């Protein structure tokens, strides 16, 4: 089974690091032209675009804040200008601003909801409008594919992270509702829910003593790498998953299987 995305165009938001970076890299590897969106770090985004181009692929970088409607409009406009259409959206941008409930400021609550939930809403809405406007591009069975980046915390409550968990729970219902609404237009909307994945940003959480504690929550016995998520994105974007609609793929080494119950309960 080969997941190829030749002649297709993919936008990946929040792609200058971590999961978004890996998704963009692997979508390009599968043949897609990629639009690498970044918010505040142009340099790694540009380096990734150069590497993709050096390997014979197509890539551009676009700076945009996904929580701003005008920025999202310009992200799509620049995509069309460069590549003439869009077939795949990976709505990945997200952030954490952790605090215990009683210490959390309204700013922390709103900032996370604005990027994680409203940002995905704006990108998905704009993608669906574009899929409708451009019609069938003849490059894949579906008219368009959308992948929302969720988290195991769409189902696992997470003390000290109420803004983040609420945003991810919201993404789950947003994704399912939109999937139900647009499937008849030939558009597939799904989500990926990563568990603990080692990235540059959370290195301190995934190594040493903290890493060992984390491993107890992962039946499969390893902390994930960003490529684990990138590979799931390629599959969900490809025709190999053409009958998969409104589903969340958990890429979590079994974290959502209540591992504390091993030997207990
Ligand atoms: C968070 C990580 C966390 C993981 C498992 C993810 O959504 O971004 O920081 O390690 O969930 O708790």
């Amino acid at each position: 089974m080969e997941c190829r995305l030749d002649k297709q165009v993919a936008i990946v938001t929040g792609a200058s690091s971590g999961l978004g970076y890996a998704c963009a890299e692997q979508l390009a590897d599968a043949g897609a032209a990629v639009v690498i969106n970044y918010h505040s770090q142009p340099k790694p985004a540009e380096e990734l675009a150069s590497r993709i181009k050096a390997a014979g692929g197509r890539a551009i970088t676009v700076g945009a804040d996904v929580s701003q409607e005008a920025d999202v409009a310009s992200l799509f406009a620049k995509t069309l200008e460069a590549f003439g259409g869009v077939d795949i959206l990976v709505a990945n941008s997200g952030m954490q601003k952790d605090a215990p409930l009683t210490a959390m400021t309204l700013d922390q609550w709103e900032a996370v909801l604005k990027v994680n939930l409203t940002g995905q809403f704006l990108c998905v809405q704009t993608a669906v409008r574009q899929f409708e406007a451009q019609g069938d591009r003849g490059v894949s069975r579906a008219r368009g594919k959308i992948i929302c980046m969720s988290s195991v915390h769409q189902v696992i409550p997470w003390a000290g992270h109420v803004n983040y968990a609420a945003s991810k729970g919201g993404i789950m219902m947003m994704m399912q509702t939109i999937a139900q609404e647009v499937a008849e237009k030939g558009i597939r909307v799904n989500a990926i829910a990563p568990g603990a994945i080692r990235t540059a940003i959370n290195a301190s959480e995934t190594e040493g003593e903290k890493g060992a504690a984390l491993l107890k929550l992962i039946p499969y016995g390893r902390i994930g790498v960003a490529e684990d998520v990138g590979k799931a994105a390629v599959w969900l974007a490809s025709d190999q998953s053409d009958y998969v609609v409104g589903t969340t793929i958990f890429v979590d080494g079994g974290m959502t299987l209540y591992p504390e119950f091993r030997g207990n309960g």
Side-chain angles (χ1 to χ4, degrees):
M1 178 183 89
E2 232 205 324
C3 297
R4 293 298 309 171
L5 301 171
D6 303 291
K7 302 199 180 97
Q8 299 192 46
V9 178
I11 297 176
V12 185
T13 67
S16 58
S17 69
L19 306 186
Y21 188 102
C23 287
E25 199 170 29
Q26 304 220 2
L27 290 165
D29 223 38
V34 292
V35 177
I36 302 164
N37 159 250
Y38 63 89
H39 177 237
S40 40
Q41 298 180 69
K43 216 165 163 232
E46 275 150 23
E47 279 163 12
L48 176 59
S50 304
R51 273 209 293 124
I52 291 169
K53 287 191 271 187
R58 294 185 298 157
I60 58 164
T61 63
V62 180
D65 175 347
V66 294
S67 70
Q68 301 299 321
E69 207 170 5
D71 280 27
V72 173
S74 114
L75 171 62
F76 278 76
K78 287 178 180 156
T79 301
L80 298 193
E81 212 175 280
F83 298 128
V86 58
D87 309 288
I88 299 158
L89 165 71
V90 181
N92 165 75
S93 295
M95 58 147 90
Q96 281 181 224
K97 284 189 183 288
D98 308 329
L101 173 68
T102 50
M104 188 172 284
T105 63
L106 183 58
D107 269 359
Q108 287 172 318
W109 169 265
E110 285 180 344
V112 169
L113 268 291
K114 216 170 160 199
V115 171
N116 295 16
L117 190 55
T118 306
Q120 286 206 14
F121 166 76
L122 288 172
C123 291
V124 172
Q125 183 187 50
T126 311
V128 169
R129 286 177 179 155
Q130 176 57 28
F131 294 154
E132 285 181 331
Q134 72 193 10
D136 188 353
R137 284 171 26 93
V139 291
S140 106
R141 291 184 71 182
R143 286 284 184 95
K145 283 84 50 121
I146 293 173
I147 298 160
C148 296
M149 198 58 72
S150 186
S151 161
V152 289
H153 297 297
Q154 72 170 32
V155 291
I156 303 179
W158 202 14
H161 308 260
V162 63
N163 47 3
Y164 185 79
S167 74
K168 295 301 182 176
I171 286 170
M172 174 176 71
M173 194 45 79
M174 180 187 75
M175 180 280 287
Q176 290 176 340
T177 298
I178 297 174
Q180 188 197 59
E181 188 169 332
V182 304
E184 67 190 25
K185 304 177 201 277
I187 299 169
R188 294 195 296 115
V189 187
N190 291 288
I192 298 175
I197 310 287
R198 183 172 285 127
T199 61
I201 287 169
N202 68 9
S204 67
E205 305 294 315
T206 55
E207 279 157 21
E209 254 172 53
K210 282 191 163 176
L214 199 53
L215 273 180
K216 293 201 181 115
L217 300 177
I218 309 170
Y220 197 54
R222 74 168 170 89
I223 291 171
V225 291
E227 289 67 33
D228 291 319
V229 174
K231 284 174 188 162
V234 169
W235 182 74
L236 276 177
S238 79
D239 280 354
Q240 299 292 344
S241 63
D242 189 58
Y243 205 48
V244 179
V245 174
T247 291
T248 298
I249 307 283
F250 285 83
V251 180
D252 70 348
M255 190 177 242
T256 35
L257 299 175
Y258 297 97
E260 308 87 330
F261 274 73
R262 288 174 294 174
N264 288 317

